[in-house]
Amino acid sequence: MQNIITHKDFEYAFDINKCYECDGNCCIGESGYIWVNPKEIKDIAKFLDIEDQEFKNRFLRKVGYRFSLKEIKKNSSYECIFFNPIEKKCSIYSVRPNQCRTFPFWDYFKTNIKEVKKECPGII
Ligand code: SF4
Ligand code: SF4
């Protein structure tokens, strides 16, 4: 059964069911930033049952005045520190950052549709 999401500002739609067949392409690949805001930092730390400062030390990197989730380098690829490579899914799914929740409807992809189609098999 298809579970299609559309967005008025985008030419493409997204079939959520494809996430069950995909190996988590949006959490691995090229290095990039996975931004987290102060509320998300608190929410994820709470989910992990650790103090905010411990969470920052272990899982975040500071970029200018902002924070991004760390990545792990695997051969020539990178994966988010919260990607579970065995189950091929996010280990903090219920508290994942807004950046992850809004994929694949990112402004950048409005004019780079080929790129998002290449990355995400759920694009239709
Ligand atoms: S790349 Fe697309 S299909 Fe794959 S997990 Fe991410 S959102 Fe789902
Ligand atoms: S937080 Fe979860 S959904 Fe977001 S990039 Fe990391 S593993 Fe993927």
Side-chain angles (χ1 to χ4, degrees), residues 36-90:
V36 281
N37 64 34
K39 182 178 184 306
E40 290 167 341
I41 290 172
K42 282 196 171 303
D43 289 346
I44 302 170
K46 190 174 174 195
F47 178 81
L48 297 173
D49 200 19
I50 58 177
E51 296 294 325
D52 293 2
Q53 192 56 52
E54 182 186 352
F55 173 68
K56 283 182 183 173
N57 294 344
R58 288 172 56 189
F59 300 108
L60 300 184
R61 61 180 166 138
K62 201 159 192 292
V63 185
Y65 58 90
R66 295 199 282 173
F67 288 97
S68 170
L69 299 183
K70 285 182 180 172
E71 298 171 298
I72 297 170
K73 192 168 192 298
K74 294 253 175 101
N75 301 317
S76 57
S77 180
Y78 291 81
E79 62 188 36
C80 172
I81 195 162
F82 289 115
F83 183 66
N84 180 327
I86 297 165
E87 296 183 5
K88 310 268 189 213
K89 63 181 190 185
C90 177

Side-chain angles (χ1 to χ4, degrees), residues 18-19 21-29 78-79 83 87-90 119 121:
K18 292 293 179 190
C19 294
E21 303 163 16
C22 172
D23 284 344
N25 292 359
C26 52
C27 307
I28 59 178
Y78 291 81
E79 62 188 36
F83 183 66
E87 296 183 5
K88 310 268 189 213
K89 63 181 190 185
C90 177
E119 180 172 349

Side-chain angles (χ1 to χ4, degrees), residues 12 107-118:
Y12 52 83
D107 279 350
Y108 173 78
F109 291 134
K110 282 181 184 169
T111 49
N112 295 279
I113 297 176
K114 274 187 187 166
E115 252 182 80
V116 73
K117 278 188 175 168
K118 198 173 154 200

